[in-house]
Amino acid sequence: MNIESYIVTKQYCTVPLIESIQKLLKIPNDKAREVYSSSLAKHIDQLKDSISILVEAPYVDKVYRNSYYHYFSSKLKDYPRDTIKLSFFEGKISDSDFRNEDKYESLKNQYRGFMVLRPTVKNIIGRNVISPKALRDNDFITCTAKFHSTANFVKFKVEGFPHSSQDTETITCAETTLWAIMEYFGTKYPDYFPVLPSKIIEVLKRISTERQIPSRGLRIDQISYALREFGFGTRLYARDDFGMDEFRRLFSCYVESGIPLLVAIHGDVIGHALLCVGHCQVTHDQIDFLVESANDGIKIAPDTVKFYDNDDIEKKFVFIDDNMPPFQKLLFKNPTGGYFDCHPDWHKCEITHFIAPLYPKIYLEAFEAKKFCKKFLFENFIIPVDHEIYLRFFLTSGRSFKNVLNFNKTFDADVRQLILETPLPKFVWVGEISNKELIKERQANGLILLDATEADTSELKPLIFANYLSVLFSIDPDEYFFSKKDISLPTFSIFTNNLS
């Protein structure tokens, strides 16, 4: 069968796409219209009105083919093995543009991603990566990786986060989140590799006491086990272990660190897994109305000091949910706020657990790292009366931090050179100290760096560097002792490279 293609605008795509779905699934037109309305329409609706869509069929999709050969092909009913591919471009395009070398640069700038439609009637949305630039509402920052694809036989790249719906048989929400997070890490970092549905099933066989397909979903500990088998040093957090407020702060801290989180939500009769990959931009009003952070046992002296925690801001987070289009923006306390016409129990769902897929050599996790940072701050600096402190705390790689610092012309040159010459581990915890007025301008006036590979928090072992209120602590890499100097740190631009 030859590959056929056509181009439609978002405004006039409904009828042609319904006809393509009808042909793919071999179903009546009225049924194809139902499938379009229930599955695809909400994905198309969130795109900008200026989007053009290139439709190609038949298309061989690696993820669906994997499920097909390991499951669907063994059924009596004849399941199609091919799919439809939609490619998205901003602005007008024509067939001739793809055969004109002079138009290639323009097409690359217009490319906004792709989506596969697979022949699984309940959920036809297959593998997709869509750039946030394609969305009508994209006032958020998120984890992204660059993915290679083709459209009309021409190579393109898109920066986004992988997404798919579940097919309810070979992959449910749990397997879909595992696939998406491995697709992201495997594409972005050489330490990891993408996995197909059959690989997820194979890994989980080792701890399963019953058959894996048709899938009945996974428990949170099974998801964590699979991630560990795929090379992560997973850390599982439960709300009941920390209390709601601290649990929410830990969640926010990891998201600020640019680490996609696997999230478990529960209602009375519903359990669901999804990903959190970013958050909406913080507004000045949110900073102005932020209340002082609750005391967690660390003595703040003097008592009149006002301490604010960036992770206390009630911002909307960005979720990748296989039941919804990608990049859903919802509050932490309402992760299913987009489920309008669903079972009432969906509206009762709350986040009960999350998994942080950490690099295996990160031994100092967020709770202990942040507690150490706050304790060091208030025990080693003389805080003036009525002083205001705003703490922004996150994890990043030592290499990325130094790279950004090297080109940060707002940072004091002498202090910058001192940090650049200081050996850093693969990952560091960063505490940026500011106040409300400075942070609204994305500036800070204090900095604490911690060794994320040091789990022993006694005797200041994780501390690498600290500079605040005209006092600088630095480590001698040869003798391993700290020197304390009277050096001030002028205001500087904060680190914002974890999310884009």
Side-chain angles (χ1 to χ4, degrees), residues 62-63 127 129 145 147 161-163 174-197 199-200 203 223-234 260-262 275 277 320 355 357-358:
K62 62 180 181 180
V63 176
R127 179 174 64 102
V129 179
F147 294 82
F161 199 95
H163 171 272
E175 291 93 347
T176 305
T177 56
L178 280 170
W179 165 81
I181 205 160
M182 292 310 302
E183 191 81 359
Y184 167 78
F185 277 103
T187 301
K188 190 164 186 174
Y189 302 106
D191 305 84
Y192 307 100
F193 54 89
V195 297
L196 294 170
K199 181 64 176 179
I200 297 172
V203 166
I223 299 174
S224 185
Y225 171 84
L227 280 173
R228 194 188 69 184
E229 290 296 294
F230 292 143
F232 290 96
T234 54
L261 301 178
L262 287 97
L275 293 166
V277 298
I320 299 290
I355 302 170
L358 301 175

Side-chain angles (χ1 to χ4, degrees), residues 403-419:
N403 180 67
V404 173
L405 180 66
N406 183 63
F407 296 106
N408 188 346
K409 300 307 179 184
T410 67
F411 208 93
D412 181 83
D414 292 334
V415 179
R416 179 175 63 211
Q417 190 62 30
L418 174 62
I419 297 174

Side-chain angles (χ1 to χ4, degrees), residues 376-431:
F376 177 82
L377 174 63
F378 289 110
E379 289 183 355
N380 291 275
F381 294 97
I382 301 174
I383 313 295
V385 174
D386 298 329
H387 196 66
E388 180 180 287
I389 294 176
Y390 184 107
L391 178 64
R392 181 171 175 260
F393 194 73
F394 57 89
L395 180 73
T396 191
S397 73
R399 185 178 296 178
S400 293
F401 181 79
K402 281 191 173 182
N403 180 67
V404 173
L405 180 66
N406 183 63
F407 296 106
N408 188 346
K409 300 307 179 184
T410 67
F411 208 93
D412 181 83
D414 292 334
V415 179
R416 179 175 63 211
Q417 190 62 30
L418 174 62
I419 297 174
L420 291 175
E421 293 174 354
T422 300
L424 294 184
K426 192 173 181 69
F427 285 91
V428 291
W429 286 102
V430 181

Side-chain angles (χ1 to χ4, degrees), residues 267-270 336 339-349:
D268 292 338
V269 297
I270 288 176
T336 52
Y339 286 68
F340 301 115
D341 301 320
C342 297
H343 189 284
D345 192 47
W346 279 103
H347 303 290
K348 302 176 184 177
C349 287

Side-chain angles (χ1 to χ4, degrees), residues 24-275:
L24 171 73
L25 302 179
K26 300 177 183 177
I27 56 176
N29 184 269
D30 59 341
K31 182 63 176 176
R33 189 173 294 274
E34 288 179 22
V35 172
Y36 176 86
S37 298
S38 62
S39 294
L40 184 55
K42 56 190 175 185
H43 291 263
I44 299 297
D45 288 345
Q46 74 166 357
L47 300 175
K48 291 179 179 177
D49 293 338
S50 57
I51 292 294
S52 295
I53 307 171
L54 170 69
V55 184
E56 297 175 277
Y59 176 72
V60 178
D61 177 61
K62 62 180 181 180
V63 176
Y64 173 68
R65 276 289 177 96
N66 180 261
S67 294
Y68 173 82
Y69 284 122
H70 283 83
Y71 179 70
F72 292 107
S73 64
S74 63
K75 291 190 172 189
L76 174 63
K77 181 182 176 182
D78 183 20
Y79 276 79
R81 62 177 185 171
D82 292 322
T83 65
I84 298 172
K85 186 176 187 181
L86 311 182
S87 299
F88 305 105
F89 293 83
E90 187 158 351
K92 293 181 179 181
I93 58 172
S94 66
D95 284 322
S96 61
D97 292 342
F98 293 89
R99 306 294 172 258
N100 186 342
E101 189 174 355
D102 294 336
K103 294 283 188 178
Y104 184 41
E105 285 300 318
S106 177
L107 284 174
K108 286 197 295 185
N109 292 331
Q110 291 176 269
Y111 186 63
R112 295 293 181 265
F114 66 90
M115 174 181 289
V116 171
L117 304 182
R118 65 191 178 210
T120 49
V121 178
K122 292 181 181 178
N123 294 290
I124 66 168
I125 306 298
R127 179 174 64 102
N128 63 88
V129 179
I130 297 175
S131 168
K133 294 178 181 179
L135 308 181
R136 289 182 299 175
D137 188 2
N138 57 14
D139 62 332
F140 56 85
I141 50 178
T142 182
C143 303
T144 61
K146 290 182 180 178
F147 294 82
H148 295 265
S149 189
T150 61
N152 210 342
F153 317 112
V154 179
K155 292 182 178 181
F156 293 97
K157 286 189 291 187
V158 58
E159 194 162 347
F161 199 95
H163 171 272
S164 176
S165 69
Q166 55 181 291
D167 63 27
T168 72
E169 295 187 64
T170 65
I171 53 172
T172 63
C173 58
E175 291 93 347
T176 305
T177 56
L178 280 170
W179 165 81
I181 205 160
M182 292 310 302
E183 191 81 359
Y184 167 78
F185 277 103
T187 301
K188 190 164 186 174
Y189 302 106
D191 305 84
Y192 307 100
F193 54 89
V195 297
L196 294 170
S198 62
K199 181 64 176 179
I200 297 172
I201 293 168
E202 178 188 334
V203 166
L204 290 169
K205 277 182 180 178
R206 302 167 195 169
I207 58 169
S208 177
T209 56
E210 59 180 4
R211 67 183 187 183
Q212 295 298 104
I213 52 174
S215 178
R216 298 175 60 189
L218 302 172
R219 301 186 310 271
I220 190 70
D221 60 307
Q222 291 176 306
I223 299 174
S224 185
Y225 171 84
L227 280 173
R228 194 188 69 184
E229 290 296 294
F230 292 143
F232 290 96
T234 54
R235 181 68 169 87
L236 172 60
Y237 292 87
R239 182 182 63 188
D240 291 345
D241 292 341
F242 293 94
M244 178 57 82
D245 289 342
E246 189 58 42
F247 182 68
R248 174 180 44 76
R249 291 189 193 106
L250 288 168
F251 186 94
S252 173
C253 179
Y254 278 118
V255 174
E256 195 70 39
S257 302
I259 298 176
L261 301 178
L262 287 97
V263 182
I265 62 175
H266 289 89
D268 292 338
V269 297
I270 288 176
H272 186 47
L274 62 161
L275 293 166

Side-chain angles (χ1 to χ4, degrees), residues 363-376 380 393 395 422-425 427-431 448-466 473-475 480 482:
Y363 304 127
L364 182 62
E365 54 84 38
F367 179 75
E368 293 296 335
K370 195 171 185 181
K371 183 170 71 172
F372 177 93
C373 179
K374 291 168 64 176
K375 189 171 184 291
F376 177 82
N380 291 275
F393 194 73
L395 180 73
T422 300
L424 294 184
F427 285 91
V428 291
W429 286 102
V430 181
I448 296 176
L449 300 180
L450 306 181
D451 179 1
T453 68
E454 179 53 76
D456 185 355
T457 58
S458 64
E459 300 179 358
L460 303 183
K461 286 185 179 179
L463 185 66
I464 298 173
F465 173 90
F473 292 85
S474 62
I475 188 171
Y480 205 86
F482 285 96

